[in-house]
Protein backbone atom coordinates (compact mmCIF):
# COMPACT_ATOMS: atom_id res chain seq x y z
CA UNK A 1 0.00 0.00 0.00
CA UNK A 2 1.25 3.47 -0.84
CA UNK A 3 0.10 6.78 0.63
CA UNK A 4 -1.57 9.09 -1.87
CA UNK A 5 -3.16 12.49 -1.77
CA UNK A 6 -6.17 12.77 -4.07
CA UNK A 7 -7.40 16.26 -4.87
CA UNK A 8 -11.06 16.39 -5.82
CA UNK A 9 -12.20 19.67 -7.35
CA UNK A 10 -15.97 20.13 -7.42
CA UNK A 11 -17.36 22.96 -9.53
CA UNK A 12 -20.81 23.96 -10.67
CA UNK A 13 -21.77 22.89 -14.17
CA UNK A 14 -21.84 25.62 -16.77
CA UNK A 15 -25.21 27.37 -16.62
CA UNK A 16 -25.87 26.75 -12.94
CA UNK A 17 -26.22 30.05 -11.10
CA UNK A 18 -23.47 30.80 -8.59
CA UNK A 19 -24.57 33.69 -6.37
CA UNK A 20 -21.51 33.31 -4.11
CA UNK A 21 -19.15 33.84 -7.04
CA UNK A 22 -21.23 36.74 -8.31
CA UNK A 23 -21.15 38.46 -4.94
CA UNK A 24 -17.40 37.90 -4.65
CA UNK A 25 -16.85 39.35 -8.11
CA UNK A 26 -18.91 42.43 -7.28
CA UNK A 27 -17.02 42.92 -4.03
CA UNK A 28 -13.70 42.77 -5.87
CA UNK A 29 -14.98 45.27 -8.42
CA UNK A 30 -16.06 47.59 -5.64
CA UNK A 31 -12.50 47.40 -4.31
CA UNK A 32 -11.31 48.64 -7.71
CA UNK A 33 -10.17 45.36 -9.29
CA UNK A 34 -10.89 44.73 -12.95
CA UNK A 35 -11.86 41.18 -13.81
CA UNK A 36 -13.85 39.49 -16.55
CA UNK A 37 -15.31 36.60 -14.62
CA UNK A 38 -14.96 34.68 -11.39
CA UNK A 39 -15.94 31.09 -10.70
CA UNK A 40 -15.76 29.35 -7.35
CA UNK A 41 -15.13 25.69 -6.66
CA UNK A 42 -14.66 23.40 -3.68
CA UNK A 43 -11.47 21.48 -3.32
CA UNK A 44 -11.03 18.40 -1.13
CA UNK A 45 -7.61 16.95 -0.43
CA UNK A 46 -7.98 13.35 0.67
CA UNK A 47 -5.08 11.33 2.09
CA UNK A 48 -5.56 7.64 1.49
CA UNK A 49 -3.62 4.39 1.09
CA UNK A 50 -4.01 2.40 -2.09
CA UNK A 51 -2.19 -0.23 -4.13
CA UNK A 52 -1.46 2.11 -7.01
CA UNK A 53 -2.37 5.45 -8.64
CA UNK A 54 -5.32 3.98 -10.50
CA UNK A 55 -6.85 2.49 -7.35
CA UNK A 56 -6.43 5.78 -5.47
CA UNK A 57 -8.01 7.72 -8.30
CA UNK A 58 -10.92 5.27 -8.57
CA UNK A 59 -11.60 5.51 -4.84
CA UNK A 60 -11.50 9.32 -4.86
CA UNK A 61 -13.84 9.39 -7.87
CA UNK A 62 -16.27 7.13 -6.01
CA UNK A 63 -16.15 9.52 -3.02
CA UNK A 64 -16.98 12.37 -5.37
CA UNK A 65 -19.89 10.48 -6.92
CA UNK A 66 -21.35 9.36 -3.64
CA UNK A 67 -20.83 12.37 -1.42
CA UNK A 68 -18.58 15.25 -2.45
CA UNK A 69 -20.38 16.23 -5.65
CA UNK A 70 -24.02 16.44 -6.60
CA UNK A 71 -24.16 15.07 -10.15
CA UNK A 72 -27.21 17.18 -10.98
CA UNK A 73 -25.35 20.44 -10.63
CA UNK A 74 -21.64 19.62 -10.25
CA UNK A 75 -18.74 18.45 -12.37
CA UNK A 76 -15.67 17.11 -10.61
CA UNK A 77 -12.12 16.22 -11.43
CA UNK A 78 -9.66 14.07 -9.53
CA UNK A 79 -5.87 14.39 -9.41
CA UNK A 80 -3.71 11.93 -7.54
CA UNK A 81 -0.11 12.33 -6.34
CA UNK A 82 2.01 10.15 -4.09
CA UNK A 83 2.12 11.69 -0.63
CA UNK B 1 -3.11 42.96 -22.79
CA UNK B 2 -3.49 39.20 -22.64
CA UNK B 3 -6.33 37.19 -21.12
CA UNK B 4 -5.30 35.06 -18.15
CA UNK B 5 -7.04 32.75 -15.74
CA UNK B 6 -5.69 32.99 -12.21
CA UNK B 7 -6.57 30.19 -9.82
CA UNK B 8 -6.48 31.22 -6.18
CA UNK B 9 -6.60 28.34 -3.70
CA UNK B 10 -7.45 29.39 -0.16
CA UNK B 11 -6.94 26.87 2.62
CA UNK B 12 -6.99 26.99 6.39
CA UNK B 13 -3.60 27.25 8.06
CA UNK B 14 -2.33 24.14 9.78
CA UNK B 15 -3.80 23.99 13.28
CA UNK B 16 -7.01 25.86 12.49
CA UNK B 17 -10.03 23.66 13.18
CA UNK B 18 -12.03 22.67 10.11
CA UNK B 19 -15.37 21.23 11.24
CA UNK B 20 -16.65 21.01 7.64
CA UNK B 21 -13.75 18.79 6.62
CA UNK B 22 -14.15 16.70 9.76
CA UNK B 23 -17.84 16.15 9.10
CA UNK B 24 -17.15 15.26 5.47
CA UNK B 25 -14.49 12.77 6.52
CA UNK B 26 -16.85 11.14 9.04
CA UNK B 27 -19.60 10.93 6.42
CA UNK B 28 -17.23 9.22 3.98
CA UNK B 29 -16.17 6.78 6.69
CA UNK B 30 -19.80 5.98 7.47
CA UNK B 31 -20.20 5.16 3.78
CA UNK B 32 -17.39 2.63 4.18
CA UNK B 33 -14.47 4.58 2.68
CA UNK B 34 -11.07 4.34 4.31
CA UNK B 35 -9.10 7.57 4.41
CA UNK B 36 -6.37 9.02 6.60
CA UNK B 37 -7.26 12.67 6.44
CA UNK B 38 -9.38 15.16 4.52
CA UNK B 39 -8.77 18.89 4.12
CA UNK B 40 -11.08 21.30 2.36
CA UNK B 41 -10.15 24.46 0.49
CA UNK B 42 -11.85 27.13 -1.57
CA UNK B 43 -10.79 27.67 -5.11
CA UNK B 44 -11.47 30.83 -7.11
CA UNK B 45 -10.88 30.98 -10.86
CA UNK B 46 -10.53 34.59 -11.92
CA UNK B 47 -10.46 35.65 -15.59
CA UNK B 48 -8.55 38.89 -16.04
CA UNK B 49 -6.55 40.86 -18.60
CA UNK B 50 -2.97 41.81 -17.81
CA UNK B 51 0.25 42.78 -19.57
CA UNK B 52 2.07 39.61 -18.61
CA UNK B 53 2.04 36.57 -16.28
CA UNK B 54 3.71 38.44 -13.45
CA UNK B 55 1.17 41.26 -13.53
CA UNK B 56 -1.73 38.79 -13.57
CA UNK B 57 -0.25 36.87 -10.64
CA UNK B 58 0.38 40.05 -8.65
CA UNK B 59 -3.19 41.21 -9.19
CA UNK B 60 -4.65 37.85 -8.15
CA UNK B 61 -2.43 37.79 -5.06
CA UNK B 62 -3.70 41.25 -4.12
CA UNK B 63 -7.31 40.03 -4.51
CA UNK B 64 -6.47 37.16 -2.16
CA UNK B 65 -4.88 39.48 0.40
CA UNK B 66 -7.68 42.01 0.32
CA UNK B 67 -10.77 39.84 0.03
CA UNK B 68 -10.53 36.14 -0.82
CA UNK B 69 -8.39 35.03 2.11
CA UNK B 70 -8.33 36.01 5.76
CA UNK B 71 -4.62 36.20 6.62
CA UNK B 72 -5.29 35.32 10.26
CA UNK B 73 -6.53 31.84 9.43
CA UNK B 74 -5.82 31.23 5.73
CA UNK B 75 -2.89 30.51 3.45
CA UNK B 76 -3.34 30.96 -0.25
CA UNK B 77 -1.58 30.12 -3.46
CA UNK B 78 -1.97 31.60 -6.93
CA UNK B 79 -1.44 29.88 -10.28
CA UNK B 80 -1.76 31.76 -13.54
CA UNK B 81 -2.30 30.36 -17.05
CA UNK B 82 -3.03 32.11 -20.32
CA UNK B 83 -6.74 31.72 -21.07
Amino acid sequence: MTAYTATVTVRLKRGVLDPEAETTQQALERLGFELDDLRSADRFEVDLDADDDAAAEARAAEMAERLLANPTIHDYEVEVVEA
Side-chain angles (χ1 to χ4, degrees), chain A:
Chain A
M1 300 284 262
T2 314
Y4 292 94
T5 297
T7 301
V8 181
T9 304
V10 177
R11 53 169 64 80
L12 288 166
K13 289 186 195 232
R14 225 161 250 292
V16 178
L17 291 179
D18 187 349
E20 180 194 341
E22 214 171 292
T23 306
T24 307
Q25 180 172 351
Q26 286 166 4
L28 285 168
E29 286 166 348
R30 268 198 303 276
L31 288 171
F33 290 106
E34 280 175 30
L35 59 160
D36 297 328
D37 192 26
L38 184 147
R39 297 170 297 284
S40 67
D42 286 322
R43 187 182 148 116
F44 300 94
E45 296 167 6
V46 184
D47 295 337
L48 47 82
D49 296 315
D51 289 330
D52 55 33
D53 283 40
E57 190 170 333
R59 183 127 48 100
E62 208 192 326
M63 292 179 189
E65 305 249 341
R66 294 196 54 195
L67 186 83
L68 305 176
N70 173 347
T72 310
I73 55 169
H74 290 138
D75 286 325
Y76 68 87
E77 63 196 41
V78 177
E79 268 177 275
V80 169
V81 292
E82 259 184 62

